[in-house]
Amino acid sequence: MATVVLVLGAWAYLALSGKPRLPTSIANGRYSNGCCGTIALHDGMMTVANRRVDYIVGLDKAGPYVLPTAHVGASAQAIVVRSDAYPLKLRLDDAVHPHQLELLGDAADGGRYSFARVNGS
């Protein structure tokens, strides 16, 4: 229980801090990777691995990102959602009309997985 409160508190701190936020609608769409599956983003609600996760869209020195309320990572077989782990920023390639979303690997090696925006979304 304490871990959940800590994770939500950290997310709220990041979400409410002075960092610039972007409209959540810029990330709207479906992003897919052949190894792992599809992530759907729509107005602050992410649907992934049969789960729904809230998120915000922000901007920092490294560029635009999606910050979910739970840890969302990727493995060679699937997208992993864990509410007991620290949420990580999912990087977007463009702040106006993103074409890719990048997730970090869920394993210790921390690989990166690119998800391409599905045409028409």
Side-chain angles (χ1 to χ4, degrees):
M1 180 68 161
T3 302
V4 172
V5 170
L6 180 64
V7 167
L8 290 176
W11 182 84
Y13 172 77
L14 289 173
L16 298 175
S17 68
K19 294 186 179 184
R21 289 183 59 186
L22 298 172
T24 57
S25 62
I26 67 153
N28 285 356
R30 290 182 14 212
Y31 299 82
S32 182
N33 181 304
C35 76
C36 312
T38 301
I39 299 172
L41 302 176
H42 185 75
D43 295 338
M45 182 63 65
M46 175 186 302
T47 305
V48 58
N50 295 323
R51 294 196 46 198
R52 296 173 64 97
V53 179
D54 293 328
Y55 69 88
I56 61 167
V57 178
L59 183 66
D60 62 14
K61 291 180 183 180
Y65 62 86
V66 170
L67 181 62
T69 56
H71 172 85
V72 178
S75 72
Q77 298 86 20
I79 300 168
V80 179
V81 178
R82 295 185 299 161
S83 54
D84 63 342
Y86 190 75
L88 301 174
K89 293 177 181 176
L90 314 179
R91 291 288 168 186
L92 296 167
D93 67 333
D94 186 74
V96 178
H97 186 71
H99 299 286
Q100 287 190 329
L101 179 68
E102 184 179 81
L103 276 71
L104 292 177
D106 197 53
D109 65 6
R112 297 176 185 271
Y113 294 81
S114 290
F115 287 72
R117 186 180 216 137
V118 176
N119 287 340
S121 68

